[in-house]
Amino acid sequence: MTVFLLAIGAACCLGLGFVLQQHAAQRAPRDDLLHWRLLLDLMRMPDWLLGIAFMIGGQVLSALALDHGEVSLVEPLLATSLVFAMLLARVLTGQSLGRSGWGGVVLIAVGVTAFIVSGRPQGGEPPESQLRYWLVFGIVAGLALILVSAARRMPLLEEATLLALAAGLLYGLQDALTRSVFEKLDVDGLTAVLATWQPYTILAIGVVGLLLVQSAFEAAPLRMSLPALTAAQPLTGIACAVGFLGDQVRVTPAALAGQAAGLLAIVIGVVLIGRHPAMPGSS
């Protein structure tokens, strides 16, 4: 129950934070896209700072959730952040949820439940070989780099989606690394953790991810970026957790079918909500 409450609290803060950040980022100069000065310009906007405060609160709560539970359990719950973003966007736009909005909410809730019940995620022992660790790390980082490179040659709407996908990949990797840091902290203590590369990599990923997300928010309406971000992060986090943290899920045919159906429902629900008229910038 503790993990559930922490993850849902994190999702709430993240969803509210994303809407406030996009509300500010769309007013930033277009020339700031993918430049560090974008963050400097946004720091002058009170609504962006409030959004960042919500996001930091969400990241703290998600880190606590990851300390108490497996990544493959926490990540699907974090996907509900889009539901809370939808609720705030509804306040800003004055539009009701309607069938598609409520359908997306139901699909996300059912998908999260189906994945958890079918997979029964639980912790395990990380693989002894570091090859899988670096292989998964390299694949995720490489895919993010490819997406960013491709985004720069795309129209703004498509660029926003690709940048958000890249940020989602990095945030999923960051969540898995955060879990590994807490595991090492529990065993070896703070001094040993600070002597490793993981904490500094988590910080670097957070900064790069923040720039990508804000650039995506600036480039296009929230519906073009937030669904991609919300879908990519949990899928990547689960893949990383299974790949190099040793998280285990049930692998019977029925369990795999339930997990696949749950993840598909989450993705479809995310897309439905992200394209709902209540999302800022939707038509």
Side-chain angles (χ1 to χ4, degrees), residues 146-173:
I146 291 172
L147 288 170
V148 173
S149 299
R152 306 196 66 164
R153 299 189 292 271
M154 295 285 186
L156 285 178
L157 290 179
E158 288 80 1
E159 182 176 9
T161 301
L162 293 183
L163 291 177
L165 278 173
L169 290 174
L170 293 179
Y171 282 152
L173 177 60

Side-chain angles (χ1 to χ4, degrees), residues 56-218:
I56 292 174
Q59 289 177 334
V60 170
L61 290 175
S62 66
L64 292 173
L66 290 167
D67 185 34
H68 289 81
E70 287 69 44
V71 176
S72 50
L73 171 62
V74 174
E75 289 291 359
L77 294 172
L78 293 180
T80 61
S81 62
L82 194 58
V83 175
F84 296 102
M86 181 76 166
L87 295 176
L88 178 57
R90 180 174 182 263
V91 173
L92 294 176
T93 63
Q95 296 194 30
S96 62
L97 289 179
R99 288 185 179 180
S100 62
W102 282 115
V105 170
V106 171
L107 278 173
I108 290 177
V110 170
V112 169
T113 302
F115 180 86
I116 293 174
V117 171
S118 300
R120 296 182 187 175
Q122 58 184 347
E125 292 296 326
E128 295 182 2
S129 172
Q130 291 292 305
L131 178 60
R132 283 176 59 183
Y133 198 113
W134 290 110
L135 183 61
V136 174
F137 189 102
I139 289 174
V140 173
L143 286 174
L145 181 60
I146 291 172
L147 288 170
V148 173
S149 299
R152 306 196 66 164
R153 299 189 292 271
M154 295 285 186
L156 285 178
L157 290 179
E158 288 80 1
E159 182 176 9
T161 301
L162 293 183
L163 291 177
L165 278 173
L169 290 174
L170 293 179
Y171 282 152
L173 177 60
Q174 183 187 46
D175 289 341
L177 290 175
T178 299
R179 174 65 184 175
S180 70
V181 165
F182 275 114
E183 288 178 348
K184 189 172 184 61
L185 182 65
D186 292 339
V187 175
D188 300 325
L190 180 60
T191 303
V193 167
L194 293 177
T196 63
W197 58 271
Q198 285 95 334
Y200 311 103
T201 303
I202 290 171
L203 180 61
I205 289 175
V207 173
V208 174
L210 181 64
L211 176 62
L212 294 178
V213 167
Q214 303 310 314
S215 296
F217 287 168
E218 181 191 14

Side-chain angles (χ1 to χ4, degrees), residues 231-249:
Q233 182 174 349
L235 296 177
T236 304
I238 292 168
C240 290
V242 174
F244 63 74
L245 290 183
D247 274 19
Q248 298 177 358
V249 293

